[in-house]
Amino acid sequence: MKTNKRLSAKSILLLLLSMSLVLVTACSKGDSSSSGESGKDENGNYKDKLKISVASTVTVKDGDMDNEFHKYWMDKYNIEWDYNFVEWDSWGEKLRLWINSGDLPDVAVWDYVHGDAMNYIDQGLLYKFPDDWKERWPNVAKAYSLTGLGDKLEELTGGTYILPRPVYFENKPADPLTNQIGVIAIRKDWAEAVNFELKDAYTTSELMEYARLVKEKDPGKVGSKLVPISYKPDDVLTNIMMPNSAHSRVESAFYKGEDGKYKWGPADPETLTGLKLVQEAYKEGLLNPEFYTWKSSEASNNFRVNGTAAVMSLGGLASYRQDVDKDMKKNLNLNSDDVVHTAIVLGEDGKYRNLEQVNFWSALIFSPDISKEKFERVMDLVDFSVTEEGQMILNMGFEGTDWKYGENKELISLLPEGTSVGDKYPGRFEGLYLLGDDFSMINPAIKQEYRDTAVKHYQNKAKFGKEGGALALYDWDVQLYDSKAKNQATFNYAEEYTNLILQDGDLETNWKKWVESKQSLVQPVLDELNNLKK
Amino acid sequence: MKPAALGPTKKPHGRSKFKKLASEIKKNRMTYTLLIPGLVWLIIFAYMPMGGLSLAFKDYKANLGILGSPWVGFENFKYVFRDPTFIDAVWRTLYINIIKLAVTFPVPIILALILNELRMSRMKKAFQTVLTFPHFLSWIIVSGIVINVLAYDGLVNSTLAILGLPTINFLGSESNFIPMILLTDIWKSAGWGAIVYLAAISGIDQDQYESAQIDGATRMQQMFRITLPNIMPTVTIMFILSVGGLMSSGFDQIFNLANAATKNVSEVLDVYIYRITFQSSTDFSFSTAVSLFRSLVNMALLLIADRVAKKMGGDGLFR
């Protein structure tokens, strides 16, 4: 039926008004939780349930959230998580996109880059903490003060925008503290079979000698699948380049030389020494012919999953060693204690090189649009998480169920032999602030032997580093210096070195040409740094 | 049919020109209405974002926005041209794309001519489907297949090893990189590209073929004397458009097939822009300056190609 009824002016106005109201409501942030009240009832429980988005690199698979552990944190803080898993390989990239586009989740773990941090703070892309936060969340403040970076950033920016994550809090394993990287694992049974001596530290040449013996004798009978040294480009940088040139990495490339002038490490002769060793290893077939295509865990999987590698990069945490143990048992039906030996790597001159470890790694950041109530709720959680009780729950599970105190107050795990709290409660991302490195030193769920070995490596690193070593010191002047030139002179060294050793022709000539080609970007940074203190 | 006006005509005055256009639109209002969605799309997604190009001359701050960020003149370009990898990337992009143009551009034309000669329509359709299918695969999938096939332990090298032949380093060889780019590009895009030419071929007046057959022309002669000349305007336009894109190379393809070993031959301008934007400290002004430079060169190339095509007696893009 056709109608010719026309709407009156009033009804059109009303319709438009209601439509605009709908639009305004739909387009507004709709955060009903930004009341700014303490958010707790008379019993101290949180009144409103808050949905909080969080991003971190902890893998959380489907179903991982359905356990007592996650329920505990959600109930305690009356929150519902909107978890965003970030792959290691795209971590920096994804966070950059989120931060710059204003899409940062409420709270995120960020791979701290100083230049970016200064830019973001300058542009208002990160949440500014209230001035009294240290009084309100004293446990966080205590851990924060150990990082060093927090105070330095406050001096530069006049406030707190970032929570650098402390590596060690109560259980520092050595002094000076070195970076955990630079620990390798070798097949102990193969070493014994080819009469290769087991030691706590090897030079690169010694490791290559071992790899040659394995390649020649193939003690594991793995045939053409054998990878004597299973490194990806990043591992090559850590375990061949760095032991020979402490300033060959992006973290330490610009450094103050003995003459007080700033230098660029990749142009040092030590870097050429490292490159020569890498090329030798590649040409002899000790590295895989296509190691440069490997990403994530492809290289280490040859050792721990496929059982086809003689050497892999491991890292210094006891938990890493425990993971190898589990992987080998599961995939190769091998007891890793019988087949794995770990060691640190020295330079060809016998000196030990690594990065001096400042006590932070990555940072916790908040969206500039986070509501006050959500921010406070997360900070309450973080504050509890760094307390002894919080750490015990995060790292051990629940007292009486997953662990107990022994007669001498020692920690006893109640988990089935060979399992960890990670197996029972996977994806424990709630440990947002304090890194697991600290607790892994005393975690009874990790075999005592692995913990002792981890401490031994840290102590050896410190000892060798002090006694004639060449640790790359953490230079706050360089690290906190930010300029367009410095940002432009940031290179992917693992990729650059790989490309150099694969090029045809004389390596030294190619390296010199490469150094020369980078000067238009490097020299302005050196000039700026050298003029810094004038 | 009314013949076109002969002899010199008076150039219409501005006002009368507008009137003529208005009456033209009024007369063909249904056709022009169909133009609106496309026009709106173009304005929103192609012209309005152009305002962002001003970032190339600003020190962009997210909190100040594009309009509020301070002007810095050509400061960003100073940093762009200081970077030797940028200069290298420009030349590399041109080099790869000129080779691509020379090698891959004729392939869809040849393919269309061959497909047009197939008389069994079922076979023709089957071939067309098989050849078009790769277009619908993303470069991530294609590169995954290529890497698996060409790796040291991949299909090709395993076969070579079984046959007792030496294996070939496909993925890490600089000299193999460009042939790999060309081959994969042809495999993925030629079938799809041929559709445009097949459409042009289908528009050819069939009387021409009948006359040629009566005159005793062979099929080869028909192909070269009738089909090819008739699709030349389409070929010219496609060529001009390809030249206009010489500074933009297939990012997905190169990004997914490249690795550290082929860095010196694979970092084209698009990969460079990606690297400086997302893999190092973000500087949108710097990235925009690089993109603007690329667009300007592309536009210059497009205009030159158009002028050359007209000089050679063909049709250009712009009247």
Side-chain angles (χ1 to χ4, degrees), chain B residues 1 7 17 21 23 33 52 85 108 144 148 153 168 201 224 226 228 250 253 282 309:
Chain B
M1 207 170 131
K17 201 176 173 183
L21 181 70
S23 81
T33 309
T85 52
N148 273 310
D153 51 359
I168 301 165
I201 290 169
F224 284 106
I226 300 171
L228 205 52
Q253 179 193 21
T282 316

Side-chain angles (χ1 to χ4, degrees), chain A residues 280-496:
Chain A
E280 196 182 327
Y282 183 75
K283 283 190 169 168
E284 284 188 39
L286 305 179
L287 290 167
N288 185 274
E290 283 172 346
F291 78 99
Y292 44 80
T293 61
W294 285 346
K295 290 189 174 78
S296 299
S297 55
E298 276 179 274
S300 69
N301 280 351
N302 288 323
F303 189 95
R304 62 214 291 168
V305 176
N306 306 326
T308 54
V311 182
M312 76 154 179
S313 177
L314 176 66
L317 299 188
S319 56
Y320 295 170
R321 178 66 186 85
Q322 178 105 335
D323 290 342
V324 171
D325 185 61
K326 275 192 284 179
D327 283 345
M328 290 191 115
K329 204 161 278 169
K330 186 176 158 193
N331 298 293
L332 303 166
N333 200 24
L334 286 174
N335 179 358
S336 77
D337 296 349
D338 300 334
V339 298
V340 176
H341 173 73
T342 60
I344 59 173
V345 190
L346 305 170
E348 284 307 277
D349 52 6
K351 284 184 179 176
Y352 183 70
R353 294 177 180 84
N354 199 327
L355 309 172
E356 184 193 32
Q357 174 72 59
V358 276
N359 196 22
F360 78 87
W361 179 80
S362 71
L364 204 60
I365 50 174
F366 293 84
S367 162
D369 302 322
I370 191 173
S371 69
K372 190 173 163 235
E373 197 178 1
K374 280 187 184 180
F375 170 76
E376 288 172 348
R377 196 75 63 92
V378 175
M379 285 301 285
D380 286 352
L381 182 149
V382 171
D383 198 60
F384 173 70
S385 77
V386 296
T387 61
E388 195 184 337
E389 188 188 350
Q391 280 294 293
M392 292 303 284
I393 295 170
L394 279 169
N395 293 291
M396 295 286 294
F398 302 103
E399 188 176 1
T401 310
D402 304 311
W403 62 277
K404 66 175 184 178
Y405 282 114
E407 284 173 5
N408 301 316
K409 267 293 205 181
E410 78 277 18
L411 296 169
I412 299 169
S413 174
L414 299 176
L415 297 170
E417 177 73 25
T419 63
S420 67
V421 74
D423 298 325
K424 187 171 178 185
Y425 310 122
R428 291 164 301 131
F429 63 86
E430 288 87 345
L432 285 167
Y433 192 44
L434 190 59
L435 294 179
D437 304 39
D438 187 70
F439 196 81
S440 75
M441 291 294 152
I442 54 159
N443 189 345
I446 298 173
K447 271 190 190 175
Q448 182 69 47
E449 189 192 334
Y450 300 160
R451 283 185 274 144
D452 292 345
T453 308
V455 173
K456 181 181 75 182
H457 288 322
Y458 268 112
Q459 287 172 351
N460 278 342
K461 285 176 179 181
K463 186 174 152 231
F464 294 143
K466 268 193 289 194
E467 296 167 5
L471 295 181
L473 301 177
Y474 195 86
D475 185 337
W476 285 103
D477 288 336
V478 176
Q479 299 297 335
L480 296 183
Y481 181 68
D482 177 40
S483 76
K484 205 157 184 152
K486 192 179 166 215
N487 288 341
Q488 207 181 4
T490 306
F491 309 108
N492 181 340
Y493 289 104
E495 206 173 84
E496 299 278 353

Side-chain angles (χ1 to χ4, degrees), chain A residues 92-93 96-97 100 113 115-116 119-120 122-125 233 282 289-290 292-293 484-485 487-488 490 494-496 498-499 502-503 517-518 520-521 524 528, chain B residues 59-63 76 79-80 82-85 150-153 169 171-172 174 259-264 272 274 277-286:
Chain A
E93 205 174 313
R96 259 187 200 114
L97 273 174
N100 281 290
V113 178
D116 283 352
N119 271 332
Y120 297 155
D122 187 32
Q123 296 180 43
L125 295 171
Y282 183 75
E290 283 172 346
Y292 44 80
T293 61
K484 205 157 184 152
N487 288 341
Q488 207 181 4
T490 306
E495 206 173 84
E496 299 278 353
T498 303
N499 186 267
L502 294 170
Q503 277 179 28
S517 74
K518 300 289 181 199
S520 62
L521 298 179
E528 286 176 4
Chain B
D59 181 14
Y60 176 67
K61 304 276 179 209
N63 56 334
N76 291 311
Y79 283 97
V80 169
R82 197 171 78 179
D83 187 353
T85 52
L150 298 181
Y152 259 108
D153 51 359
N169 180 5
L171 302 176
E174 290 186 351
N259 55 53
T262 55
K263 192 176 176 287
N264 287 340
Y272 173 83
Y274 172 80
T277 309
F278 300 118
Q279 293 187 325
S280 54
S281 288
T282 316
D283 186 342
F284 288 113
S285 296
F286 184 88

